[in-house]
Amino acid sequence: MLCRRGSRLLGTLTRYTCTQCDGASGCHDNRSVTRFLGNNQHNKRNTWKGVGLLGGAALVTGAVSAQKEEDDDEEEEVEIDHDAQKAQGTRYRRTRMFAHFCSFSSLKYKTELFMTGEDFLKAILYKDQTRGGVRYSDLTYLSDEEYQQILDQAPSHNLETRGLFRALGKVAVISYPEYLFLVSILSKPRDHFLKTFQMIDVDSNWVLTKDEFELVEKLFSKGLVEDNIENTTLKVHFFKMDGSGVITFDDFVHFLDSIQKECLELEFNEYAKGSGRIQEIDFTELLLARTLLSEIEKDKYRGRIMSRSDVDSGVSFFQYSQFMNLLNDIHDLEIALRMFQIAKKPVTQEEFQRAVRVCTGTPLDDKMVQLTFELFDEDGDGHLGHEEFMKVMKNRIRSRGTVNVEIPPKSWKAFRKCVHERMMVAAI
C-alpha cells in the first residue's frame, strides 16, 4: 500500500468505510467523514477498512513524524533567566517551549502558571518576549474563589463560536499542556483533522470525552505529570463544569478551523494596520519575522522584493491565509519539489502551481505564486530556488513553535504502546 504522501502525489482516489454499516446510507460515521472530506479527490487518503484500523494507522503516521521531529530537534533544558521566579514550583521541564509559555503567562494558581486568552494570542504573535511578555512583578496570583469565578465565566461551546481567544480576553485559565496542544494543531492541514480526532477518540465512538482529552494533556505534559488539572477554561468550554459534555467530530473541526483562522487574522491585522491589505514588503517582514535568520540574510530577501516588485497592489487576507495554509502541507510540498530536483528539472511558476495543487487540492492565487518567485528566485531566471524556499518556510514554522513539540522517551514509549494496542484491536 502506498504511503499517505505517495497516494496524495499520485492522486489516488480513496474513501473511508464504516465497520458498523459497511457504508450503508444514513450511517452517522459515514456521513460525518464524507461531509468532511467532500468531493475533492486530493483531500482523500488510503482506504482503511474500519474505524479502528483508521485510528491505528493515523497514530502510526503521527508517531513516526513525532519521533523524527524529536530526533531532529530535541529540546534541552534551558535557563528561564528573568522568569525563574515565575517558574518556581511548577512541575514541567524547563524547555524552550516552557520558557516561552512562562514568559507570556500572567496568572498563577497554587503552583500552576496559566495563560489568559490574550496571553495565548500574544505568545503566538510575538517571538520576542519583550513584546507582550509578563514580568514576575506583574504576575497575578489567584485565590480559590477567583479561580472558580474565571471558570464560571467560560463560554459554552457551539458552532457559532468565532474568535474564542479574543473573546476570552483576560478572563481565562489555559494550562501549559493545553498550550502545547493548541500550538501543535496550528500547523495541521485541514485534511489531518480526522486523524487527529481518531487519535484522541480512544473508544472510536465519534465523540471525545473529558477523560480522552486529558490523555492528550498527559502526553503533552512530557510524561512527568500524573494528575491533570481538574478544570480549566477550555475544559469547561468543551465538557461543562461537571465534565458531562462531549465534542463531536463537527465540533472538533469547527474548533480547529476557528483557532487557525483567528491566529491568521491576528497576524494579518498586525501588519495591515486597518487597511485590509498587507504591502508586499510588509508581507516579507511578516514571513521573516518568526525565523531564526540573521539580519544579513533577511536583508537579501528585502532587497529582492523592493527591486523586483513593480506595482505593489498589496496582499489580501484571502491571499495571505491561502499562502499560510500551504505551510501546513510543507512536508508534502517538499517531496513534490524534490522530485523536480531529482529529475534535474527547474521549477517554473507553472510547475510550482501544479505541485501546490497536487499537495493541497486547490491552486494558489497567482499573486502569491508571483510573490514567492520574487522572493526565492535567486538569479531572476524564472526558476524557484526550492531549497532556499523550503529552508525559510520550515524555519518559520519551527520558530513559531508549531512543530517539533518534544515527546520525551517516557511519553514516546507509552505512545508506541497505545499504537500497538489499537492496531491489535483493529486486527481482531
Side-chain angles (χ1 to χ4, degrees):
M1 180 179 287
L2 289 170
C3 70
R4 175 177 61 83
R5 289 171 179 162
S7 294
R8 172 179 284 179
L9 292 173
L10 295 178
T12 304
L13 181 62
T14 58
R15 70 183 182 88
Y16 295 106
T17 306
C18 172
T19 51
Q20 303 300 317
C21 65
D22 199 28
S25 176
C27 168
H28 170 75
D29 291 353
N30 216 44
R31 287 201 319 272
S32 294
V33 177
T34 302
R35 181 170 63 252
F36 171 67
L37 291 175
N39 297 319
N40 188 342
Q41 70 174 16
H42 297 295
N43 285 342
K44 301 181 188 296
R45 292 294 178 266
N46 301 328
T47 302
W48 287 294
K49 179 75 173 180
V51 174
L53 186 55
L54 170 63
L59 280 169
V60 170
T61 303
V64 171
S65 176
Q67 179 62 60
K68 182 180 185 300
E69 287 166 0
E70 180 190 358
D71 292 341
D72 289 346
D73 190 25
E74 184 176 356
E75 289 193 75
E76 298 177 355
E77 292 199 16
V78 297
E79 292 294 330
I80 306 187
D81 50 70
H82 66 275
D83 289 318
Q85 288 178 294
K86 288 175 68 176
Q88 188 173 2
T90 55
R91 51 185 178 166
Y92 306 108
R93 286 183 59 197
R94 306 306 196 254
T95 61
R96 287 188 294 273
M97 287 293 289
F98 181 72
H100 195 68
F101 171 84
C102 184
S103 293
F104 287 89
S105 299
S106 62
L107 303 176
K108 194 167 189 176
Y109 175 60
K110 298 181 179 177
T111 61
E112 290 286 337
L113 284 170
F114 292 95
M115 280 182 167
T116 64
E118 185 178 293
D119 295 337
F120 171 74
L121 293 176
K122 287 180 179 178
I124 295 300
L125 182 61
Y126 301 126
K127 174 184 173 183
D128 184 356
Q129 296 165 0
T130 62
R131 297 184 65 188
V134 180
R135 292 281 180 173
Y136 172 71
S137 57
D138 297 321
L139 189 66
T140 299
Y141 285 82
L142 300 175
S143 65
D144 291 345
E145 182 180 356
E146 290 170 329
Y147 189 83
Q148 186 59 47
Q149 286 176 350
I150 291 177
L151 296 180
D152 290 338
Q153 296 182 62
S156 58
H157 179 68
N158 61 72
L159 294 180
E160 300 301 319
T161 303
R162 297 288 178 186
L164 174 64
F165 294 94
R166 279 174 290 189
L168 290 174
K170 295 183 178 181
V171 187
V173 280
I174 301 169
S175 68
Y176 177 56
E178 289 173 338
Y179 167 74
L180 290 177
F181 172 69
L182 293 171
V183 163
S184 72
I185 62 178
L186 283 176
S187 62
K188 290 289 183 291
R190 194 176 192 276
D191 54 4
H192 284 202
F193 291 175
L194 176 62
K195 295 179 182 180
T196 305
F197 183 89
Q198 287 283 357
M199 184 180 76
I200 304 172
D201 183 19
V202 176
D203 55 8
S204 299
N205 66 348
W206 290 95
V207 294
L208 303 182
T209 64
K210 183 178 179 182
D211 288 341
E212 288 172 327
F213 184 77
E214 288 180 340
L215 288 176
V216 178
E217 276 195 299
K218 285 188 176 180
L219 175 64
F220 279 102
S221 64
K222 317 301 183 188
L224 302 176
V225 178
E226 293 297 326
D227 299 320
N228 290 301
I229 301 164
E230 178 60 28
N231 268 329
T232 61
T233 297
L234 285 182
K235 287 183 183 179
V236 175
H237 173 67
F238 286 125
F239 307 108
K240 303 179 181 179
M241 194 72 74
D242 61 0
S244 63
V246 295
I247 305 175
T248 66
F249 180 64
D250 287 340
D251 293 334
F252 188 72
V253 171
H254 171 77
F255 174 70
L256 300 193
D257 267 339
S258 296
I259 185 177
Q260 289 187 351
K261 185 177 181 181
E262 184 173 4
C263 290
L264 286 177
E265 287 176 344
L266 185 75
E267 291 179 334
F268 181 85
N269 292 332
E270 177 79 3
Y271 284 81
K273 302 182 176 102
S275 68
R277 301 185 78 85
I278 297 178
Q279 298 304 302
E280 292 181 3
I281 186 62
D282 291 330
F283 172 80
T284 304
E285 292 294 342
L286 197 163
L287 199 62
L288 300 175
R290 297 193 63 88
T291 66
L292 301 177
L293 300 177
S294 67
E295 284 302 312
I296 294 177
E297 290 177 299
K298 290 179 181 179
D299 283 341
K300 176 176 63 176
Y301 297 109
R302 293 170 183 138
R304 287 179 189 174
I305 204 67
M306 292 177 71
S307 63
R308 296 175 180 177
S309 180
D310 297 328
V311 179
D312 189 349
S313 58
V315 177
S316 68
F317 177 72
F318 172 78
Q319 293 168 329
Y320 170 73
S321 59
Q322 196 181 45
F323 183 86
M324 289 304 171
N325 286 331
L326 170 63
L327 299 189
N328 295 344
D329 285 291
I330 198 68
H331 297 296
D332 290 337
L333 183 61
E334 181 179 24
I335 291 175
L337 295 179
R338 184 73 65 185
M339 293 171 66
F340 288 97
Q341 186 181 42
I342 293 172
K344 296 182 179 179
K345 186 177 179 181
V347 181
T348 63
Q349 291 193 24
E350 292 75 18
E351 296 291 2
F352 180 75
Q353 182 70 278
R354 186 164 73 90
V356 170
R357 191 162 48 245
V358 168
C359 292
T360 67
T362 56
L364 185 63
D365 187 270
D366 290 342
K367 163 79 174 182
M368 302 313 295
V369 174
Q370 179 184 347
L371 192 51
T372 299
F373 274 70
E374 288 176 357
L375 281 168
F376 299 105
D377 177 4
E378 184 175 6
D379 53 11
D381 62 355
H383 301 153
L384 182 73
H386 55 274
E387 288 189 353
E388 188 179 22
F389 169 75
M390 293 305 306
K391 175 186 174 183
V392 173
M393 296 303 99
K394 292 169 78 171
N395 193 310
R396 186 185 194 280
I397 296 174
R398 285 195 179 96
S399 65
R400 191 186 191 190
T402 54
V403 297
N404 296 327
V405 176
E406 177 195 9
I407 298 181
K410 286 185 179 180
S411 291
W412 173 242
K413 183 177 180 180
F415 197 49
R416 285 185 296 181
K417 182 180 179 181
C418 175
V419 173
H420 177 74
E421 290 174 351
R422 290 285 306 269
M423 295 196 72
M424 290 301 100
V425 171
I428 297 176

